[in-house]
Amino acid sequence: MAEELDALRRELEGLERRAGRLEGRAEALVREHQRLRRELQAVRDFLEMAPKAQDRLEDLSRELFGELMEEVEANLTHAVREILGQDRKVVSRREVKNGKFFINLEMEQQGGTEDILTGQGGSVCNILSVGLRLIGLAQLDPQTHRRFLVLDEQDCWLRPELVSSFARLIASIGERLGLQVLYISHHAVDAFYGHASRVFQLSPGRDGVRVDVLTDKAASQPLE
């Protein structure tokens, strides 16, 4: 009888130890469950807030982007009026979708719109494409990017009488922004006198291409 009681006592002690372990494990599981519930609620709160935050970020982006584009519009409008001598205005239709900017440039004149690709026989496109590149270059860090721009027949659609104004404006902007511009053109060299620091004329010859220096305002300085 005593042996049976001892066996039952040992079994009871084992069950109590096992119950203690199970109780400790249950408490740990309860704590883990509570932690996961908190994390789940935080995720739900974030997901509920995310669309509002995205909308606000897009609003802020539109405001900042709008200020930038207003300055771009003003600069491009000035360039068009300066070269074409016409009362035109460059406007941008812009929007922000999923953090990305979308821009469509248009030309306005007397309340109507004009396609910039075909306006004035392509002259508008000539002017705006150069203007955008000049604006882009002006944003680069001069410590890591050389401000050098090559314009290869960028005046191809301009009427000959407009080329001089075009060259004058590019020279003025380039000097103001500290840009070095290599301007290649098939127009008469007369349009570039007074605007370019150096004017070269390339012409075919028997021994290849002949290069004549027609004017060099920086003759005392080495060619860069």
Side-chain angles (χ1 to χ4, degrees), residues 73-137:
E73 289 175 5
N75 289 330
L76 295 178
T77 295
H78 171 74
V80 169
R81 292 177 175 176
E82 184 78 10
I83 296 169
L84 298 181
Q86 299 173 356
D87 186 17
R88 295 166 177 264
K89 182 181 180 180
V90 178
V91 296
S92 62
R93 312 300 180 193
R94 62 229 184 209
E95 59 181 334
V96 181
K97 293 182 179 179
N98 299 322
K100 296 181 180 179
F101 300 120
F102 296 84
I103 311 170
N104 184 39
L105 293 176
E106 296 178 352
M107 183 72 64
E108 286 186 353
Q109 183 183 30
Q110 298 178 349
T113 59
E114 181 179 37
D115 187 344
I116 63 171
L117 294 178
T118 60
Q120 295 291 293
S123 297
V124 171
C125 185
N126 280 149
I127 298 169
L128 297 190
S129 63
V130 172
L132 290 172
R133 274 180 277 178
L134 289 170
I135 292 172
L137 281 174

Side-chain angles (χ1 to χ4, degrees), residues 12 16 35 58 84 112 122 125 150 155 187 190 204 216:
L12 178 60
E16 288 176 345
R35 183 185 69 80
E58 291 194 358
L84 298 181
C125 185
V150 177
D155 54 15
H187 283 282
D190 295 350
D216 189 351

Side-chain angles (χ1 to χ4, degrees), residues 7-202:
L8 289 173
R9 190 179 299 110
R10 287 192 297 272
E11 184 178 355
L12 178 60
E13 291 173 353
L15 291 173
E16 288 176 345
R17 288 193 296 273
R18 184 181 178 189
R21 290 194 297 271
L22 290 174
E23 183 178 356
R25 184 178 178 187
E27 291 177 354
L29 289 174
V30 169
R31 289 194 297 271
E32 179 67 10
H33 176 69
Q34 292 173 342
R35 183 185 69 80
L36 292 175
R37 283 180 63 86
R38 289 193 298 270
E39 290 185 0
L40 178 60
Q41 186 59 45
V43 171
R44 286 173 175 168
D45 293 341
F46 175 78
L47 291 176
E48 183 179 352
M49 180 184 65
K52 299 177 182 178
Q54 180 67 27
D55 291 342
R56 183 53 183 157
L57 286 174
E58 291 194 358
D59 288 340
L60 292 173
S61 296
R62 286 190 187 93
E63 293 175 10
L64 178 61
F65 191 48
E67 293 176 2
L68 173 62
M69 287 309 302
E70 286 175 4
E71 183 177 351
V72 171
E73 289 175 5
N75 289 330
L76 295 178
T77 295
H78 171 74
V80 169
R81 292 177 175 176
E82 184 78 10
I83 296 169
L84 298 181
Q86 299 173 356
D87 186 17
R88 295 166 177 264
K89 182 181 180 180
V90 178
V91 296
S92 62
R93 312 300 180 193
R94 62 229 184 209
E95 59 181 334
V96 181
K97 293 182 179 179
N98 299 322
K100 296 181 180 179
F101 300 120
F102 296 84
I103 311 170
N104 184 39
L105 293 176
E106 296 178 352
M107 183 72 64
E108 286 186 353
Q109 183 183 30
Q110 298 178 349
T113 59
E114 181 179 37
D115 187 344
I116 63 171
L117 294 178
T118 60
Q120 295 291 293
S123 297
V124 171
C125 185
N126 280 149
I127 298 169
L128 297 190
S129 63
V130 172
L132 290 172
R133 274 180 277 178
L134 289 170
I135 292 172
L137 281 174
Q139 309 307 311
L140 298 178
D141 182 0
Q143 299 298 321
T144 55
H145 296 82
R146 181 175 181 179
R147 292 188 170 185
F148 180 78
L149 177 62
V150 177
L151 299 177
D152 187 5
E153 297 187 58
Q154 194 60 52
D155 54 15
C156 59
W157 300 112
L158 285 177
R159 298 195 305 274
E161 63 270 21
L162 299 176
V163 175
S164 181
S165 297
F166 188 58
R168 181 182 68 249
L169 185 63
I170 291 174
S172 174
I173 295 174
E175 182 177 357
R176 186 165 67 249
L177 298 180
L179 293 172
Q180 184 179 18
V181 182
L182 174 61
Y183 190 132
I184 303 169
S185 176
H186 282 174
H187 283 282
V189 293
D190 295 350
F192 305 98
Y193 289 133
H195 309 312
S197 59
R198 299 184 181 95
V199 177
F200 301 88
Q201 179 171 294
L202 280 65

Side-chain angles (χ1 to χ4, degrees), residues 1-10:
M1 187 69 172
E3 293 179 358
E4 292 179 357
L5 289 174
D6 289 339
L8 289 173
R9 190 179 299 110
R10 287 192 297 272

